[in-house]
Amino acid sequence: EAQVTQNPRYLITVTGKKLTVTCSQNMNHEYMSWYRQDPGLGLRQIYYSMNVEVTDKGDVPEGYKVSRKEKRNFPLILESPSPNQTSLYFCASSYKRDAYEQYFGPGTRLTVT
Amino acid sequence: SQQGEEDPQALSIQEGENATMNCSYKTSINNLQWYRQNSGRGLVHLILIRSNEREKHSGRLRVTLDTSKKSSSLLITASRAADTASYFCATDLQGAQKLVFGQGTRLTINP
């Protein structure tokens, strides 16, 4: 089944404790992206990747890191999480960047206390 | 304000009625996409309409695009309880490397 998976689905952590949210797709997609969704603010792009080893900042990259060492994986790293990073996070992928639908993962609900 | 803005923010109708949601944007686009999100879940792609298209259908969905007015509408006909969800438009901006999502319309279908 074609899908985007994220882990963990739920995470409660404390300020400053490094964490990684994994994202994997099995559709051989070139383009991958991370979003955060907050009430009243909609979806905002954090980072995106056009292909392996090619990543770039989205609209709200501060406090996040990503890597794209393999085509299928695009982990999101929070080196020192803070409470303002409490949010619902989505990974998405598409065949290419232009004019293709994005497939979304199920989301990761992160709470930083 | 954001590139893509949906209107209304919330819509509540009776089952069987039609639901119309609108999206306005500011700059030139390559295409516009509509997505559905059930509560707390990932977004699901509904339909993509390119900038040179004016109307597109998919089952009970009808999307129109008016590039002169920089607006799009999503019509869901003969609504069902299962259509209850949030609906987002996403604009694929010319010269950008991303989709820009609006804040969504929350649709409630009452039985």
Side-chain angles (χ1 to χ4, degrees):
Chain A
E1 180 190 353
Q3 60 183 346
V4 177
T5 56
Q6 293 178 229
N7 282 292
R9 296 288 314 282
Y10 302 91
L11 180 60
I12 300 173
T13 190
V14 296
T15 299
K17 186 176 180 182
K18 180 179 179 179
L19 66 93
T20 299
V21 184
T22 64
C23 172
S24 182
Q25 49 92 6
N26 62 358
M27 296 168 280
N28 201 38
H29 284 171
E30 288 187 359
Y31 183 85
M32 297 186 75
S33 181
W34 276 102
Y35 298 90
R36 60 178 289 174
Q37 185 176 31
D38 303 288
L41 296 176
L43 272 86
R44 294 178 293 168
Q45 189 181 52
I46 304 171
Y47 268 95
Y48 64 91
S49 171
M50 300 289 282
N51 212 325
V52 176
E53 302 292 1
V54 182
T55 63
D56 209 343
K57 297 176 180 178
D59 296 318
V60 288
E62 294 78 20
Y64 304 95
K65 285 176 58 177
V66 293
S67 68
R68 187 93 182 272
K69 294 185 172 60
E70 306 165 283
K71 200 170 188 178
R72 64 184 295 132
N73 297 323
F74 190 44
L76 179 69
I77 303 157
L78 284 73
E79 295 268 1
S80 183
S82 62
N84 64 13
Q85 293 179 296
T86 292
S87 187
L88 180 57
Y89 291 87
F90 290 102
C91 179
S93 72
S94 62
Y95 176 61
K96 288 185 184 292
R97 220 304 290 152
D98 294 335
Y100 289 91
E101 65 180 278
Q102 291 198 12
Y103 291 77
F104 279 78
T108 295
R109 189 167 292 279
L110 173 66
T111 302
V112 184
T113 61
Chain B
S1 58
Q2 297 192 21
Q3 162 71 355
E5 292 190 355
E6 287 94 341
D7 172 62
Q9 289 188 332
L11 179 61
S12 181
I13 61 173
Q14 295 299 122
E15 195 166 18
E17 294 179 339
N18 296 341
T20 300
M21 288 157 272
N22 302 296
C23 172
S24 60
Y25 58 93
K26 295 181 178 177
T27 61
S28 297
I29 61 172
N30 295 316
N31 63 74
L32 185 146
Q33 304 181 30
W34 285 91
Y35 288 80
R36 184 187 74 230
Q37 183 183 32
N38 291 93
S39 182
R41 295 191 168 186
L43 280 72
V44 174
H45 182 263
L46 296 176
I47 202 162
L48 182 154
I49 186 165
R50 300 180 193 280
S51 60
N52 61 354
E53 296 175 312
R54 292 297 167 255
E55 188 170 310
K56 214 162 180 184
H57 297 254
S58 176
R60 293 183 297 112
L61 306 181
R62 173 179 160 238
V63 169
T64 61
L65 179 65
D66 187 335
T67 53
S68 66
K69 294 182 179 178
K70 292 187 169 57
S71 67
S72 173
S73 67
L74 169 66
L75 168 67
I76 303 174
T77 60
S79 63
R80 306 168 181 169
D83 295 328
T84 293
S86 291
Y87 292 82
F88 294 86
C89 71
T91 47
D92 187 338
L93 306 180
Q94 287 185 4
Q97 302 295 344
K98 61 182 181 182
L99 288 179
V100 178
F101 286 82
Q103 295 191 28
T105 292
R106 184 177 299 174
L107 175 64
T108 303
I109 308 298
N110 302 303

